Amino acid sequence: MGLRTETEKMLAGEPYNVLDPYLVAERYRIRDLCQKINSSSDADEDLRRNLCKHIFGKGGDTVSIQPPFFCDYGSNIELGAQVFFNFNCIVLDACRVRIGDYALFGPGVQILTPMHPLDAALRRKQLYGKPVEIGSDVWVGAGAIILPGVTIGSGTVIGAGSVVTRDIPAGVFAAGNPCRVIREISANERETYSPASD
């Protein structure tokens, strides 16, 4: 086996050198693309669509974004159909971020995969991460933070301002800091509008 690249280590959730020249160049490239989206007008639909296709690893052809939007690499974000990001969302995708169809993210949502070593000397030069998985038809309320390694099941609603530190099952309403399951979403509620904060 040959030596593993820093990108391979990063995606495997192993310690990697965040200052690796290739990773630095990729972050610069994607930030330039995000800046173009963030400075575009609502009338620039074709430009935004083209930029999204170049930013996201998958799903850029149907995603909807209300700028500003920020991410680290973009290529590690895999979206299902018709995902929506409201204003000021951040996705730090050092590891894979997989999001299912029709997921909705309120303003200011953060999805984070990077983690820092507790040892200060290592923290100066290394990161590692854990992937995030979000199912289909998930609604994440404004200002929620989804931490590394979390899985959120399909059809779940995360309340505004929640800090999601552990896995949340499918079909529930969960909220708080730390986020916890409040109750199941009934079959009737799944078919109608739910009044959780966007």
Side-chain angles (χ1 to χ4, degrees), residues 185-194:
I185 297 173
S186 70
N188 186 42
E189 287 175 309
R190 290 187 204 118
E191 298 172 2
T192 59
Y193 173 78
S194 176

Side-chain angles (χ1 to χ4, degrees), residues 60-178:
D61 53 336
T62 64
V63 66
S64 294
I65 293 176
Q66 290 292 326
F69 174 85
F70 306 93
C71 63
D72 269 341
Y73 299 98
S75 58
N76 302 326
I77 305 170
E78 299 178 1
L79 306 176
Q82 304 296 325
V83 171
F84 174 75
F85 291 101
N86 213 323
F87 300 104
N88 213 33
C89 286
I90 297 171
V91 183
L92 300 187
D93 57 317
C95 284
R96 298 266 184 236
V97 175
R98 292 189 172 99
I99 298 172
D101 299 342
Y102 299 99
L104 306 174
F105 299 91
V109 169
Q110 299 179 46
I111 302 171
L112 313 174
T113 67
M115 300 181 72
H116 297 270
L118 295 178
D119 180 275
L122 289 176
R123 197 162 54 238
R124 294 175 186 171
K125 57 185 178 180
Q126 286 186 342
L127 287 177
Y128 67 101
K130 294 181 180 179
V132 168
E133 189 98 22
I134 298 170
S136 297
D137 293 303
V138 169
W139 175 10
V140 180
I145 300 173
I146 300 169
L147 294 182
V150 164
T151 295
I152 298 174
S154 293
T156 281
V157 175
I158 304 295
S162 297
V163 179
V164 186
T165 62
R166 62 186 65 184
D167 293 353
I168 302 293
V172 300
F173 172 66
N177 181 6

